[in-house]
Amino acid sequence: MFVEISYLKQSTVVVLLILSVSAIGCLSATRPILGRISLNESISDGQTLVSGNFVLGFFSPGTSSHRYIGIWYNSDPNGTAVWVANRNNPVQDTSGILKFDNGGNLIVSDGRGRSFIVASGMGVGNVEAAILDSGNFVLRSIANHSNIIWESFASPTNTWLPGMNITVGKLLTSWKSYDDPAMGDYSFGLGVVNASAFIIWWNGREFWNSAHWNGDINSPIPELTSIDIIPVSFRCDNLTCTYTPNPSDRLTKIVLDQTGSLSITQFDSEAKSWVLLWRQPVSCDESKLCGVFGVCNMANIHILPVSLDSDQSPCQCPKGFAKQDKSNTRKGCTRQTPLQCTGDKFIDMPGMRLPDPRQKVAVVEDSGCQSACMKYCSCTAYAHSLSDGCSLFHGNLTNLQDGYNGTGVGTLHLRVAASELESGSSSGHKLLWLASVLPSVAFLIFCLVSFIWIRKWKIKGKEKRHDHPIVMTSDVMKLWESEDTGSHFMMLSFSQIENATDNFSTANKLGEGGFGPVYKGSLPNGQDVAVKRLAANSGQGLPEFKNEILLIAKLQHRNLVGLLGCCIDEDELVLLYEYMPNKSLDFFLFGMGTVERRQMV
């Protein structure tokens, strides 16, 4: 019995020792170290330096497996880095160590024997690396802490912290991507030529610039004055610029992200998240960008950067609302007709990012959710879905966003006075009536204009054609007489031609050529003639008509058919030839049979 008790005591002691050693090992692997390290100290992956609100240690951004030395806010659950030491030289695994080398330089080394100098010790002995409460990581003399040899504030990455000076030539540089803190395409800083303005560059080209510094604390970004509580106050001169947060104890940062957007955010300690207060180029993610009842839609932005008071403003008002101040959309929208509490209606706004806060109500049907909202005069909207149930929204709504791609999207039923929908219905009927009537009216106008145009064209054509008989008769007679044919040339009227051909009867039709059909006619004196009438689809006109008269006049011969006269009457152009009762030469050459041709011979 004694032996068993003694053994049990020994076993208990061994177990306690093992647990103690394990606990000590775990703590030593993750314990935060006092905010500084000296020449003979180091930080391995898993250890951190802590000072105030800031932490320095190894981290992996996003989905990357690479390890970087960085600084982040201690209270930020996402641990988003505000500074990265080895942004272009990541450690491939968890073997990284931050330490001093023999020359007093602060380096990052890995298990493969590679190293990267973070800060040069400048040959100064007895130095230490420390992270300050401001988030500035410094290399300083141990004997004199004010002797700063190197500081991270002088080598920023993509984040501008309070107290950090931005000077000419010292630029923020965006990350390459969300997962890669390497130097990206965008940079931010004071202009080289004009140091009184902030500028964003894209691959060296100016992408955006702020207003000029005129001594006012908000002059570089005048839009900040439209925010309820101005988040930052700038202090600038011709070569440098810094800022202080408002309130002074609020965690604040200015970040240039991988898309080239510059943003001002403050940390909400209760929600444990960052609130976007200003962004350029404009983003619908900005808190209260469009004010109360204002709806933000990034699809309305076409030109960057966008001014909120421009035509390309992303802020619009729902039906029944109007902008309080067209020059400042942050003031939001106001109702054109106050709610009546009873008898109000709802307008449907699909695809909306639903606002917060909300009141959850245990009803199943959409109609029940609407009835629940109508019970409260303060209820200004409701949303209902099978997955999320019924949500009621009270008072002034903010951060409404249309076309949102994230979670929490649904149809928002916004409450308006019944008269707004009635007036909209009346105007809708008017629009419907106009839509049905306008096409008919437009068609009638088109027909009327076409008729008038055709009428004028015909009248004008007739006026021109009335000139033809006089002009052409004179021309034809001159042509004929100029050739001294010695034969009489007749000018007949069209009615005479019609009488001669029995009104161009098909029985009198002899044939048809390129100029037009040919008819047999009989003049009042009993003479038979061949009447060639210009066809409308022949493609010939006055020039060809005159050419044929001139040609025949030049080729007068007893073995050729003779031209006896013509008729010119408006569109009608007619030539009169000698009639050949024995048919034409081509008939005898090509149209006769072999026997007939032999008999002729």
Side-chain angles (χ1 to χ4, degrees), residues 488 490 492 500 520-531 562-565 576-579:
H488 177 66
M490 296 182 290
L492 279 72
K520 178 182 178 181
S522 180
L523 298 178
N525 60 5
Q527 182 182 0
D528 291 335
V529 293
V531 179
L563 180 64
L564 303 178
L576 275 70
Y577 289 92
E578 290 178 324
Y579 177 70

Side-chain angles (χ1 to χ4, degrees), residues 261-335:
S261 292
L262 187 72
S263 61
I264 300 176
T265 58
Q266 288 188 333
F267 190 72
D268 186 340
S269 57
E270 294 182 359
K272 299 294 182 183
S273 63
W274 292 93
V275 178
L276 180 63
L277 300 176
W278 175 87
R279 185 173 183 174
Q280 191 60 252
V282 173
S283 168
C284 286
D285 292 331
E286 287 187 45
S287 178
K288 301 179 182 179
L289 173 69
C290 299
V292 296
F293 293 111
V295 180
C296 185
N297 191 331
M298 288 299 291
N300 294 336
I301 298 180
H302 307 290
I303 302 174
L304 297 176
V306 172
S307 173
L308 295 180
D309 59 354
S310 68
D311 293 336
Q312 291 82 26
S313 170
C315 299
Q316 303 297 328
C317 293
K319 180 179 177 58
F321 293 77
K323 292 182 179 180
Q324 294 193 43
D325 186 351
K326 292 184 178 181
S327 64
N328 183 5
T329 57
R330 289 183 184 272
K331 292 187 177 180
C333 305
T334 183
R335 292 183 183 275

Side-chain angles (χ1 to χ4, degrees), residues 312-427:
Q312 291 82 26
S313 170
C315 299
Q316 303 297 328
C317 293
K319 180 179 177 58
F321 293 77
K323 292 182 179 180
Q324 294 193 43
D325 186 351
K326 292 184 178 181
S327 64
N328 183 5
T329 57
R330 289 183 184 272
K331 292 187 177 180
C333 305
T334 183
R335 292 183 183 275
Q336 294 180 309
T337 305
L339 294 176
Q340 305 302 309
C341 193
T342 58
D344 294 328
K345 302 294 184 180
F346 292 87
I347 59 174
D348 299 336
M349 302 173 65
M352 296 291 294
R353 180 184 185 182
L354 301 180
D356 284 311
R358 66 188 70 182
Q359 175 190 356
K360 302 295 290 184
V361 180
V363 295
V364 178
E365 300 293 335
D366 181 273
S367 58
C369 191
Q370 178 176 321
S371 299
C373 183
M374 289 294 292
K375 291 180 181 178
Y376 304 96
C377 293
S378 62
C379 181
T380 51
Y382 78 91
H384 180 272
S385 66
L386 295 177
S387 59
D388 197 40
C390 176
S391 299
L392 305 185
F393 305 92
H394 298 268
N396 293 332
L397 305 183
T398 57
N399 298 325
L400 299 178
Q401 186 172 341
D402 188 18
Y404 182 64
N405 295 324
T407 58
V409 176
T411 298
L412 183 71
H413 305 276
L414 185 62
R415 188 172 182 173
V416 296
S419 59
E420 291 293 342
L421 290 185
E422 290 171 0
S423 61
S425 176
S426 175
S427 62

